[in-house]
Every structure is written in structure tokens, then in C-alpha cells.
Amino acid sequence: MAQFALALLLLGLFSNGVLSVNDRLREVFNWRQVDFVFPDQQTRQQAINNREFIQANNMPLGLEVWRNRLFITVPRWKAGVASTLNYINLDSNNKSSSPSLIPYPNFENNLLSSNSSERIVSVFRINVDECDRLWMVDTGLADIWGEANQVQTPKLLIFDLKTDKLIRQYTFKADDMKPDSFFANVLADTTKETCNDAYAYIPDLGAYGLIVYSFATNKSWRVKHHYFHFDPLAGNYHVGGINFQWTDGIFGVALSAVKEDGFRTLYFHPFSSTREFSVSTRIIQNASIASDSYYEFKVLGSRGPNSQASGSSLDEKTGVLFYTQVNKDGIGCWNSNRFADEYSADTNALVVSDSITLEFPNDLKVDNNGNLWVLSDRLPRFLYKGLDTNDVNFRIFNAPVVDLVKDTVCEVQQ
Ligand SMILES: *[C@@H]1O[C@H](CO)[C@@H](O)[C@H](O)[C@H]1NC(C)=O
Ligand SMILES: *[C@@H]1O[C@H](CO)[C@@H](O)[C@H](O)[C@H]1NC(C)=O
Ligand SMILES: *[C@@H]1O[C@H](CO)[C@@H](O)[C@H](O)[C@H]1NC(C)=O
Ligand SMILES: *[C@@H]1O[C@H](CO)[C@@H](O)[C@H](O)[C@H]1NC(C)=O
């Protein structure tokens, strides 16, 4: 009886957002459904009437933090997505824990019906670089009346966050892509001193390749390697009571700090896999050798059974690599400074896990202040069953990296 009362009490506290069941992550925002800041109420009502805004079909997926802005993407996976690229103002006086998303850079360019050459159709994950620029791939794919339409060729978009201007658009070449290509992630590689010599790494999860883009030459090339493929024994998932099978290849990408030779290590993993791999950026930045350097790509090791991961992010200050754990409703970590080439179930830790609040952790990022941010969104239910709009479905958490890994094998050594 006492236990039951305690459970009720905890449940009550939890649903008020006062106490989170997982005590290492702070829940900052949550939504049953997301809404947007439309230019005015009439425009919103019109969008609903035209079915340009079908609230239940809007699922947040990717996140990124720049100064006081928390960017959130909403891919056009189903019809009726009002705006694909958005943000929340973290300094806002409005302390709502379910704020409306503000279209970025504006509402018009996010309209599927926009005629602008700067229209944004559908964005998954995004990345801010050290030069205050926001990088993304617009897949150009939109659901229109229940069917996926390639309304424009996939392209790389780069915004200057200080001016909110689109400073680069690069449409991928035919030989960058294959029939099953799908670009759900992007990682920019630059330092404050080399802004004009930046690179982007774009995993092709559908056709098992890596596209590299050079900002200096405005050119791209496709890198091939066996390690970009999925593991056929690791494609089975159980999330939120749903069993499904996915064949996603290379997906999570993260960068080490710059090494003595001036290059970084790219850590990568296919989604349907339990292994982590690495390669020096010296190899992939060189188009003439990138696909012909089999032994330069390393198998770091396996995290153990059921450890499939979508997004990943490395904290340069501590060397801790974080990744989602979708089959374990949690977040995993590995300390690259402490363990360098030792990568196994013993050197990785599950730092948080919660079957309710972390049902499908979809994206995570470490910000410049040493905080990890996590977005969970019940994606399998959204895709295969439909979400219960009376329930909290989407959550955003944060926590200081150092606190998060304390007393685990990822602990930061002083
Ligand atoms: C605060 O934000 C919520 C959610 O976006 C909105 O419904 C509400 O009107 C806002 N309140 C004020 C005072 O702006
Ligand atoms: C785009 O152009 C079409 C045809 O000229 C027009 O009907 C439509 O309203 C325009 N869309 C927007 C968002 O301006
Ligand atoms: C880069 O290449 C694209 C071709 O996709 C072209 O449209 C664009 O103008 C080029 N940008 C620069 C800065 O050269
Ligand atoms: C690419 O690699 C080849 C072979 O190692 C080397 O000769 C060439 O200089 C490299 N190119 C660049 C731009 O570093």
C-alpha cells in the first residue's frame, strides 16, 4: 500500500515536470503536440483549413544549440508539417515548458508552397560549427497527401547565424547519390582559424556511403567503405512495445579534437550495428585516396548486444563521446581520452535510461558550455501506430557532461 502511494506520488511529481525518473538529465521542454509561431492567427487557421498544418503529423527530430537558440527540426515525413527548420528562444520570458516553435530563418521559406529559391523542404539533423554557421542537408523529400515526393534534389544549406542569411547552397551531383540515398545527418569540420577551409561529412544511411563537401572548393565526393554498411544481425528493434527491422547504414558521426598532424578522428557507426569505427579526416578529405584506403578505416570495437545508436556527439573538452541507445531507452558514453583504442562493453556505460521519458532518444548534442542536450520523440509509434495526443510524446533534456558521467566508466579524470 505504501509502495503504491509512493508510486502515485512519484508519478504525480513527474507529470508536473518537477522530478524526472531519470535523475541525471533535467527535462527542460516537453510537448504532447508541437505548435508553431505563425505570422498571425488567421494564417494559422488558414493552414489548418488547407491541411498545410496537421498538428498530429509534426514530430520534432533533430536538435542543436547556438547561444540562446535551441534549434529543432521537424521533417516532412507526413503531410501537414508547418515548418521544418525552427528554434526556441532559451532567454524568453515565456517560461512555458511547451513553447511554440519559431520558423527559421522565417515562416515563408519553410512553406512547402514557397516559390523562394531559398525554400527549405525537409531537414533531419543539423550542426553548428565553430564559425557561427548552421549546416544542414535539405532532403528535398516531402509527403504530399500520403506519398513521398522528391520535390527538389537534396542539397546542403549553410546559414550565417549572426546575420540569419543563407550563405551557401550546394545541390548534390548525380554521382554523389544512389537510388536509395538518404541524408539524415551532417557534421561540419572546421576551427575558428579555418572557417573558409571547412568540410562537411554527410552519412548516406540508405546507400552506405559518406559524402564529403569542401567549403573552399565548393566540391563534393562520395566515399565508399564496407564499414558504412549495416550489420544484418543488428537490425532488429523493440521500442515502445513495437518490434521493427531497419537496415540503416552509416548514421552517427562525431569528431575528436584536432590532433598533432592537424586532422581529427571521425568516429562513426551504422545505425543497425553495435560497433563503432574511426578514420582520420586526412583520408576522407582527400578525394583521390578516400575510397581506396581500406586499412585506414579502423574497427574500434563493439558496445555489446542491443546497443544500436542513432546520433552521436563528442565533447572536445573531456573527450567523452555520447550516443543514443534506442533499444535501451537511454544514452551511452565512451571516454576517448581515457580509453583511446579500448572500445568494448566494459569501457562504455549506459548513463541514463528511462522507458517512458527516453522512448526513442533521437538526437543529442554537446553545446559550447559543456552541456549535453537530448531529444526523445517516440518515432516508432509516430511511424507505425500514431501518437496518443493526450500523452507527452516529445521531450528535451540537458545536463552538464561532467555530472552526467560521474561515477561511471566515462568519468572525467582531473
Ligand atoms: C507562452 O507560450 C505558450 C506556448 O507557446 C503560448 O501558448 C502562450 O500564449 C505564451 N504566453 C505569452 C504570455 O506569450
Ligand atoms: C507561388 O506561386 C504560385 C503561382 O504563381 C502562387 O499561386 C502561390 O501563391 C505562390 N506561393 C507563395 C507561398 O507565394
Ligand atoms: C557552389 O556550387 C553550386 C552548384 O551546386 C552553385 O550553385 C553555387 O553557386 C556554388 N557556390 C559558390 C560559392 O561557388
Ligand atoms: C592526397 O593523397 C595523395 C596520396 O597520398 C597525395 O599525393 C596528395 O598530395 C594528397 N592530396 C592532398 C590535397 O593532400
Side-chain angles (χ1 to χ4, degrees):
M1 201 57 195
Q3 265 173 350
F4 182 59
L6 180 65
L8 273 183
L9 177 70
L10 285 174
L11 205 66
L13 284 173
F14 170 66
S15 62
N16 291 331
V18 177
L19 186 78
S20 171
V21 173
N22 91 61
D23 59 358
R24 286 189 184 231
L25 283 176
R26 185 172 69 103
E27 188 171 316
V28 239
F29 297 112
N30 61 62
W31 296 266
R32 290 174 161 80
Q33 299 194 83
V34 288
D35 207 334
F36 297 83
V37 176
F38 286 82
D40 51 59
Q41 194 50 39
Q42 195 194 342
T43 309
R44 183 174 179 280
Q45 195 51 52
Q46 237 164 30
I48 293 170
N49 298 344
N50 301 339
R51 299 180 59 77
E52 286 172 344
F53 179 42
I54 304 168
Q55 194 170 14
N57 290 353
N58 287 257
M59 184 199 68
L61 186 142
L63 91 171
E64 182 56 292
V65 187
W66 180 76
R67 297 190 183 168
N68 63 349
R69 285 185 185 163
L70 174 64
F71 286 93
I72 298 173
T73 65
V74 183
R76 284 201 158 88
W77 226 324
K78 297 188 181 181
V81 169
S83 168
T84 187
L85 180 62
N86 312 280
Y87 70 97
I88 295 170
N89 190 339
L90 294 173
D91 291 344
S92 169
N93 291 328
N94 188 342
K95 296 297 175 211
S96 166
S97 60
S98 314
S100 296
L101 310 184
I102 307 167
Y104 186 87
N106 55 47
F107 177 75
E108 290 71 26
N109 289 2
N110 273 282
L111 280 173
L112 193 52
S113 62
S114 165
N115 299 314
S116 165
S117 61
E118 300 190 356
R119 172 179 68 166
I120 312 169
V121 176
S122 188
V123 175
F124 284 70
R125 291 177 190 74
I126 53 185
N127 190 217
V128 168
D129 71 9
E130 292 183 28
C131 308
D132 302 307
R133 296 176 298 203
L134 180 66
W135 300 61
M136 71 202 65
V137 173
D138 182 352
T139 65
L141 201 62
D143 182 294
I144 302 168
W145 311 121
E147 275 185 49
N149 281 263
Q150 192 74 53
V151 302
Q152 74 198 19
T153 310
K155 55 182 167 182
L156 180 70
L157 304 177
I158 309 172
F159 285 90
D160 179 347
L161 289 164
K162 290 188 188 144
T163 59
D164 301 327
K165 294 273 185 286
L166 184 63
I167 54 168
R168 189 70 64 94
Q169 287 206 57
Y170 179 84
T171 301
F172 292 114
K173 310 186 304 288
D175 60 4
D176 289 333
M177 295 177 288
K178 305 274 176 195
D180 289 333
S181 281
F182 199 85
F183 306 115
N185 203 356
V186 63
L187 180 63
D189 180 6
T190 183
T191 64
K192 280 196 172 65
E193 294 73 40
T194 58
C195 296
N196 290 324
D197 195 24
Y199 289 84
Y201 310 122
I202 300 133
D204 182 350
L205 72 92
Y208 316 129
L210 180 73
I211 314 300
V212 179
Y213 169 79
S214 159
F215 188 80
T217 62
N218 197 34
K219 286 200 167 86
S220 60
W221 51 95
R222 184 178 174 90
V223 183
K224 290 187 278 191
H225 200 280
H226 290 7
Y227 299 165
F228 298 159
H229 291 248
F230 75 103
D231 174 353
L233 301 182
N236 194 25
Y237 298 80
H238 291 271
V239 181
I242 301 175
N243 176 223
F244 54 96
Q245 289 80 35
W246 282 353
T247 58
D248 295 15
I250 180 170
F251 200 105
V253 278
L255 287 169
S256 74
V258 178
K259 310 253 165 171
E260 275 168 18
D261 68 354
F263 293 93
R264 300 175 191 265
T265 299
L266 178 79
Y267 296 105
F268 66 90
H269 56 255
F271 195 165
S272 289
S273 166
T274 57
R275 288 189 171 77
E276 194 71 21
F277 303 90
S278 70
V279 64
S280 168
T281 57
R282 180 176 57 82
I283 304 300
I284 55 177
Q285 287 180 6
N286 187 330
S288 57
I289 61 166
S291 290
D292 192 21
S293 300
Y294 183 79
Y295 294 103
E296 296 286 348
F297 290 72
K298 310 289 180 198
V299 185
L300 272 177
S302 169
R303 293 179 287 269
N306 252 348
S307 62
Q308 288 87 343
S310 57
S312 57
S313 183
L314 189 140
D315 177 31
E316 271 194 45
K317 289 187 197 84
T318 61
V320 177
L321 175 66
F322 289 99
Y323 49 84
T324 65
Q325 286 291 266
V326 300
N327 262 333
K328 297 181 180 178
D329 308 314
I331 304 299
C333 65
W334 170 68
N335 188 327
S336 64
N337 288 351
R338 196 167 161 186
F339 292 107
D341 295 327
E342 287 173 73
Y343 193 98
S344 68
D346 291 340
T347 62
N348 279 265
L350 186 69
V351 279
V352 292
S353 174
D354 188 308
S355 63
I356 293 168
T357 63
L358 286 170
E359 180 180 323
F360 210 86
N362 204 329
D363 198 12
L364 48 73
K365 291 279 161 51
V366 178
D367 70 15
N368 280 333
N369 299 318
N371 298 300
L372 179 75
W373 293 75
V374 177
L375 183 154
S376 67
D377 65 10
R378 300 189 164 173
L379 170 67
R381 288 199 218 207
F382 174 80
L383 287 182
Y384 304 125
K385 221 163 87 176
L387 294 171
D388 178 352
T389 56
N390 293 316
D391 210 2
V392 173
N393 291 301
F394 319 123
R395 293 177 169 86
I396 290 178
F397 306 87
N398 68 14
V401 167
V402 174
D403 298 352
L404 200 52
V405 298
K406 200 169 182 317
D407 301 325
T408 75
V409 75
C410 302
E411 178 148 18
V412 178
Q413 297 182 311
Q414 305 303 327

